[in-house]
Amino acid sequence: MDRTQTLAEYIADGAVHVIGIGLGLAATITLASIVWNSPDFGRQTSVLIYAGCLMTMLVCSASYNMLAKDYKTSFLRRLDHAAIFLMIGGTYTPLAAMVIGGWTGSILLAVVWTGALVGAGLKLLASKELDRITVPICLGLGWIVVFAIQPLSENATEFGFWMIVTGGLLYTVGTVFYAWKKLPFQNAIWHVFVLGAAICHFAAVLNDVAMFKVA
């Protein structure tokens, strides 16, 4: 059974979420301003899908963790968990479509979004019953890119590639703290890892997709 957060833990986690939403808004505005008048519809659309999924995850996480953390069967909890799946699909969208590209990128995108939508739907319908397998499924979807590591490494910039890898590692290490319920400030620490990973993936999308100029 999860322990109740102390006031200090609640404030720390709330601060992480406020910072996250602020950075998310800045990231969304930055990306939108760069691609808004882009003649490349695919690049524009994929970046905006990513930005929309990023903000959805941040807002849903803040809503649940700041307003309904003690209600394990609340709709906000189901939204929070479903939004994680959408974030995975959203992050893959510009990277698979525009960086990896070709049939490999298309197949990867189809597989990830199928898994993300099924996962999100199941979490909305039965969040608590799926808690034990949510993390393994998310990690599996997140790391499915290893099957396309060659085209990713060939087409991504060195900076973009390592930001993608670093973001994945931060998410993965963070799940240790997500599961470590008895650790003081566990929730805030987990969300710091999530925020750090999201910043890395934003940097990759910004550098390799939004700001990429076709020669």
Side-chain angles (χ1 to χ4, degrees):
M1 181 179 293
D2 296 351
R3 64 182 182 82
T4 302
Q5 288 190 113
T6 65
L7 178 60
E9 289 175 304
Y10 177 80
I11 292 173
D13 192 42
V16 173
H17 279 92
V18 170
I19 292 170
I21 289 179
L23 291 176
L25 286 171
T28 298
I29 293 170
T30 299
L31 292 172
S33 65
I34 293 172
V35 303
W36 195 256
N37 294 316
S38 172
D40 189 335
F41 181 73
R43 192 174 305 279
Q44 181 187 62
T45 302
S46 66
V47 168
L48 293 178
I49 288 173
Y50 160 74
C53 290
L54 172 64
M55 287 307 303
T56 298
M57 181 197 73
L58 291 171
V59 170
C60 288
S61 180
S63 298
Y64 167 59
N65 285 280
M66 297 176 71
L67 301 177
K69 180 63 178 174
D70 294 331
Y71 299 93
K72 302 304 179 185
T73 59
S74 70
F75 182 64
L76 287 178
R77 185 177 195 271
R78 296 199 296 273
L79 280 179
D80 175 32
H81 287 193
I84 295 172
F85 284 97
L86 296 183
M87 183 69 247
I88 295 172
T91 302
Y92 264 100
T93 298
L95 299 176
M98 306 308 302
V99 177
I100 296 174
W103 281 106
T104 302
S106 298
I107 293 171
L108 183 64
L109 203 56
V111 171
V112 170
W113 266 112
T114 298
L117 290 175
V118 170
L122 290 175
K123 293 301 292 187
L124 286 173
L125 293 173
S127 176
K128 191 66 177 175
E129 289 80 358
L130 299 172
D131 274 359
R132 292 185 178 181
I133 62 172
T134 297
V135 171
I137 292 174
C138 286
L139 288 177
L141 281 176
W143 282 107
I144 200 171
V145 72
V146 297
F147 293 105
I149 197 68
Q150 183 175 346
L152 175 63
S153 62
E154 290 175 349
N155 296 321
T157 65
E158 184 177 1
F159 173 79
F161 177 81
W162 287 112
M163 284 295 97
I164 294 168
V165 172
T166 302
L169 290 174
L170 285 173
Y171 274 125
T172 303
V173 174
T175 61
V176 173
F177 297 96
Y178 172 80
W180 195 352
K181 303 299 186 183
K182 294 183 179 180
L183 179 70
F185 293 93
Q186 164 265 335
N187 215 41
I189 295 171
W190 154 240
H191 288 124
V192 166
F193 273 90
V194 171
L195 184 56
I199 290 172
C200 290
H201 288 158
F202 161 75
V205 172
L206 176 66
N207 187 76
D208 282 28
V209 183
M211 297 182 66
F212 181 81
K213 301 297 182 184
V214 180

